[in-house]
Amino acid sequence: MSDHDFSGVDWQTARYDDKEFTPGDPYEVARLGKRISDTARLIEEQAGKLNNLVDGNGWDSDAGKAFTRKTGDTVKLLSQSHQRYAAAGAALGSSVPCEPVADSVRENWATALNHAQNRVRAALKKAAAADADSSNYQKQIDQHPSGDDNHPDKQKLKRQKEASDGELDAAKRELRAALEYRDTQAGYAAKAIRDAIDHDGLKDPKHHWWDNWKDWVATIGHWAGAIAGVLCLLALCLSWVPILGEVLGALALIASVVALVCDTVSALDGKGTWLDVAIDVVGVLSFGAGRVLGTTFKEAATAARGSSALREFLNLRGLGVGEKLAGEIAQANSGVKAGKIAEALAKGPDSVLPRMKSIVKESVNFKAYFGDIRTAVAERGAEDPILTRELPKWRGLSDSVFKGKAWSAGGLYAASQVLPLGAGIVNLAPSAGWEPTSVERNQFDGIKHTAPLGANGIPFYNWNWKVSGG
């Protein structure tokens, strides 16, 4: 009884058949129950006629005996079907009595629903009256000309309001009891029907987990998308950590591809939308963009620092510092190994920003991601030789061009990761009641209910211009 919360109820407009109270029409339930009971009687009559058909002489031939066996099997099935229909008809009921019924008696659903609705009507009537009186007394208290709370009139009004509040609480208790009665009686009816189905001897088709494979695909796609969002966020924040950044990136790519495949199946089936697929595609492509642009940014930044190191090396040489010492100082101050400096400078600024073809190609290149992991593991702790003899070859380079390219690549890298990641996260929608709506915002739900952005299905088969449902 404590499960029913009435904190948001407007007692002046509440109806007995509102969804939070006792929705449904007991007379429609009774009509359905009567039809089912009539069907049960018809089945019983036909089973009896079949029995009478083979009960007599003239059936001693082989054909007659075979017919008798088949008829016996059919009669058995009809009898079992009769049990199922009869139980369902009895559980639903075939009429709605006018006289009151006892709360503690087990009733059919039509009778119980009607009784529950009558109880709810009475409780709501009391609640509306008590709520109106309480509001009226409170209004008189607020508008009373005396500022003294101990004024006799005010004290009387307060007592009257407290009495009205008590009546409202009593009406709420009656309402909870009526709803508890409804729930108990609904459980009785459902159990009676279920018991008949489970024990009537009919062989219902055996259900397997793959019968609902489309729902499984949708669920897997949902969780793959959620996992991909978490891994992408971690990969973005920890991209600077050797090995871990590469591993997180590879795992996030796998989860994103799984989500893309599952969402595509759901869109074809009409359970999802092509907007979901588009967001997934952008997310997968962002991995390729991130890999290419991230590498580009690192190379451009390395080249920019290398150019500064070169200038510092030349200045030290001009001051008479030895070649080896000048190279070591320049390398230490730049924070970049000399071999990496030479490699980055050799590529030049024109090769820094990648083409779209490279981004698309790298988006689903799993081999490249695992290659990054092997490279990170192999190079961890490795030392490049001090290539002081190579540094003077880049004497004419300027660091300004490389700095500009580094900033451009860095900005594109951030945009390529943050924007798709944000779109994917806000598109997540809870698939179960326990999932937090504060995290899974489902911000695009309104768009998906707008044509053609919520389109789904296959043209000329199950195409819809917007997703169905609430």
Side-chain angles (χ1 to χ4, degrees), residues 196-211:
I197 293 174
D198 291 341
H199 302 101
D200 60 9
L202 285 175
K203 295 182 180 179
D204 293 322
K206 186 177 180 180
H207 294 283
H208 303 280
W209 66 268
W210 56 78
D211 291 340

Side-chain angles (χ1 to χ4, degrees), residues 304-318 330 345 391 394-395 397-400 403:
R305 286 187 287 174
S307 184
S308 299
L310 172 61
R311 186 172 58 245
E312 184 175 3
F313 170 81
L314 296 176
N315 290 337
L316 290 172
R317 291 290 290 144
L345 292 176
L391 288 175
W394 317 109
R395 183 182 300 272
L397 294 176
S398 169
D399 62 336
S400 60
K403 283 184 178 179

Side-chain angles (χ1 to χ4, degrees), residues 66-295:
F67 181 79
T68 300
R69 286 195 299 270
K70 289 292 184 182
T71 302
D73 293 339
T74 302
V75 169
K76 181 181 178 181
L77 288 174
L78 286 174
S79 298
Q80 292 169 336
S81 299
H82 165 262
Q83 295 174 22
R84 180 172 296 191
Y85 277 90
L92 293 176
S94 56
S95 63
V96 180
C98 297
E99 66 275 6
V101 296
D103 292 347
S104 58
V105 177
R106 178 171 177 171
E107 300 286 353
N108 60 65
W109 179 233
T111 300
L113 178 59
N114 183 63
H115 182 54
Q117 288 184 341
N118 288 335
R119 293 184 61 183
V120 170
R121 281 193 190 95
L124 288 177
K125 184 177 180 180
K126 292 181 182 179
D131 178 66
D133 289 342
S134 178
S135 299
N136 182 46
Y137 292 136
Q138 184 62 54
K139 184 177 180 181
Q140 293 183 55
I141 293 172
D142 294 339
Q143 295 178 352
H144 196 279
S146 175
D148 185 8
D149 288 340
N150 295 320
H151 191 280
D153 291 343
K154 272 194 172 182
Q155 290 296 316
K156 180 180 179 181
L157 290 170
K158 287 181 179 179
R159 289 193 296 271
Q160 291 174 322
K161 182 182 183 305
E162 289 174 358
S164 296
D165 290 340
E167 292 174 1
L168 179 58
D169 289 338
K172 290 180 181 179
R173 288 193 294 272
E174 293 178 14
L175 189 57
R176 289 191 179 93
L179 297 182
E180 184 72 14
Y181 169 81
R182 175 208 62 185
D183 295 341
T184 300
Q185 295 291 335
Y188 288 154
K191 185 176 185 301
I193 295 173
R194 174 51 57 190
D195 287 345
I197 293 174
D198 291 341
H199 302 101
D200 60 9
L202 285 175
K203 295 182 180 179
D204 293 322
K206 186 177 180 180
H207 294 283
H208 303 280
W209 66 268
W210 56 78
D211 291 340
N212 299 320
W213 68 271
K214 294 177 181 178
D215 294 332
W216 279 98
V217 168
T219 301
I220 293 172
H222 167 73
W223 287 111
I227 293 171
V230 174
L231 291 174
C232 287
L233 188 60
L234 292 175
L236 185 61
C237 296
L238 301 175
S239 59
W240 57 274
V241 181
I243 303 176
L244 179 60
E246 288 82 3
V247 171
L248 288 173
L251 294 176
L253 175 61
I254 293 172
S256 296
V257 171
V258 171
L260 172 59
V261 173
C262 292
D263 286 349
T264 301
V265 173
S266 294
L268 290 170
D269 182 49
K271 296 178 70 68
T273 69
W274 292 112
L275 177 60
D276 295 316
V277 176
I279 292 174
D280 291 341
V281 169
V282 173
V284 171
L285 289 177
S286 71
F287 284 99
R291 185 174 182 276
V292 174
L293 293 171
T295 302

Side-chain angles (χ1 to χ4, degrees), residues 9-10 13-24 124 182:
V9 174
D10 182 356
T13 61
R15 285 178 49 86
Y16 72 93
D17 56 355
D18 287 342
K19 63 180 181 180
E20 64 265 40
F21 297 132
T22 49
L124 288 177
R182 175 208 62 185

Side-chain angles (χ1 to χ4, degrees), residues 20-39:
E20 64 265 40
F21 297 132
T22 49
D25 185 343
Y27 292 94
E28 286 297 326
V29 173
R31 275 191 282 271
L32 176 61
K34 187 177 185 306
R35 286 198 298 269
I36 294 176
S37 296
D38 290 343
T39 302

